[in-house]
Amino acid sequence: MNAAAPVADGRVRVSLPELIALRARVARAPAPPVVSRAPRSGQRPGRLHGRGMDYAESRVYQAGDDVRRMDWRLTARSGVAHTKLFQEEREGRLLVMLDTNTSMRFGTRTRFKSVQAARSAAMAAWYAIRGGDRVGVLSYGGQRQLIRPQGGSRGALAVAGAIAAWDALPPGDDESLSAALQRAGRLMHGASRVLLVSDGFCVDEASRGRMLGLVGKAEVSVLVVADPLEMAEPPAGRYPFAHRGVHYDVALHGDRQRAEFLRSLGEGRHRIDTLASSLGLRHRTIDTTADPLDAVIALLGTTRAA
């Protein structure tokens, strides 16, 4: 007889109602500024209080586009629905890259890293749409799927629903960050910002080169999710662990044992911190007990000058 699947309790499995309820938490935070990256005689981008209406280009219509912005002439000529983009709208898209590798299914305090990552991604989605951005999510690792950027509540709900559905699926094969970044470069759908949410164990030698390629297309920021046990040397004692149904104890009594244990558990965080710092990427680290909102605002609440 198969064991019952873990309940979506918000601790070891993602709870969709919680992801949706985070909207109210985000709504109480200061609204993000709307920042233009459109060139203005060499000056730095300015903060906007409305959308500019200078026509920039047309592209193929996507679900969630405002039908009032349809390019009817191009649609009639091509036989394919197109919508108009305006100067201040060209870069209002956020793509969240969500790590679903097996290392994320770990936690010793409050919740698994996978659940904290899901909460962070959902908060980023709710926060982005407050600023008028479209938002989408690309999962990598055990799940490798894409929800294209969409606007308004529809976009944030699509992100939350997809994340909850992916979390309920059986784990698949792991994926390196370099492979994920290569896919992201092909599937950005016009995103001007990318938020990577990961514990860093997926970082490989090729990640830096692939990240450089992505940075050339979009502004990239990194949210590192870590378990408290990965961030500080544990007190002496015995620690019970479970992995794929196997339970075992780890005895940590000597200073050397505890230091080696921390070095091993903290390797992912070290890798991704090194990567982000070497490329000058904005990055923050949270543990599984934290409220992610402050970190999300720090990463998405402002936009660097182009």
Side-chain angles (χ1 to χ4, degrees), residues 45-59:
R47 296 174 185 267
L48 304 175
H49 299 282
R51 291 192 182 276
M53 296 302 293
D54 294 332
Y55 173 77
E57 61 183 338
S58 294
R59 60 150 170 77

Side-chain angles (χ1 to χ4, degrees), residues 82-294:
H82 281 72
T83 189
K84 294 179 179 179
L85 298 183
F86 295 88
Q87 193 67 47
E88 308 304 350
E89 297 177 305
R90 296 183 70 177
E91 297 188 332
R93 294 177 180 230
L94 170 69
L95 181 66
V96 179
M97 288 187 64
L98 181 64
D99 188 343
T100 65
N101 282 304
T102 53
S103 64
M104 299 292 288
R105 297 286 179 94
F106 175 80
T108 64
R109 301 287 196 323
T110 308
R111 55 182 66 89
F112 275 11
K113 290 185 289 184
S114 56
V115 175
Q116 184 70 313
R119 296 173 72 243
S120 303
M123 281 190 169
W126 291 119
Y127 188 73
I129 67 167
R130 284 192 68 194
D133 283 359
R134 294 174 179 273
V135 63
V137 59
L138 182 147
S139 62
Y140 70 95
Q143 304 302 322
R144 304 177 191 183
Q145 302 187 49
L146 170 71
I147 299 298
R148 296 189 302 178
Q150 301 178 61
S153 297
R154 177 186 298 181
L157 287 169
V159 168
I163 291 171
W166 298 336
D167 188 71
L169 295 173
D173 295 334
D174 283 350
E175 181 181 17
S176 67
L177 180 59
S178 63
L181 291 170
Q182 185 176 32
R183 285 195 301 117
R186 299 194 307 265
L187 301 172
M188 290 180 63
H189 290 282
S192 60
R193 292 194 292 172
V194 173
L195 174 64
L196 173 64
V197 184
S198 173
D199 65 357
F201 282 98
C202 56
V203 175
D204 57 345
E205 290 186 4
S207 293
R208 192 177 191 280
R210 293 278 166 77
M211 184 67 85
L212 273 171
L214 191 64
V215 168
K217 298 178 180 179
E219 181 178 303
V220 181
S221 53
V222 180
L223 180 59
V224 185
V225 178
D227 185 82
L229 207 57
E230 298 171 343
M231 300 180 70
E233 190 171 294
R238 298 184 68 86
Y239 293 84
F241 287 88
H243 180 66
R244 297 187 183 275
V246 178
H247 296 261
Y248 55 94
D249 287 342
V250 175
L252 300 174
H253 296 298
D255 291 344
R256 182 175 178 180
Q257 283 181 312
R258 286 152 47 209
E260 288 292 336
F261 185 76
L262 175 61
R263 187 176 300 111
S264 176
L265 281 189
E267 176 63 23
R269 185 168 62 90
H270 173 72
R271 289 185 206 168
I272 199 164
D273 281 348
T274 300
L275 174 66
S277 297
S278 70
L279 295 177
L281 304 182
R282 186 182 295 143
H283 60 288
R284 293 289 187 278
T285 299
I286 59 171
D287 67 26
T288 56
T289 70
D291 179 349
L293 186 56
D294 287 345

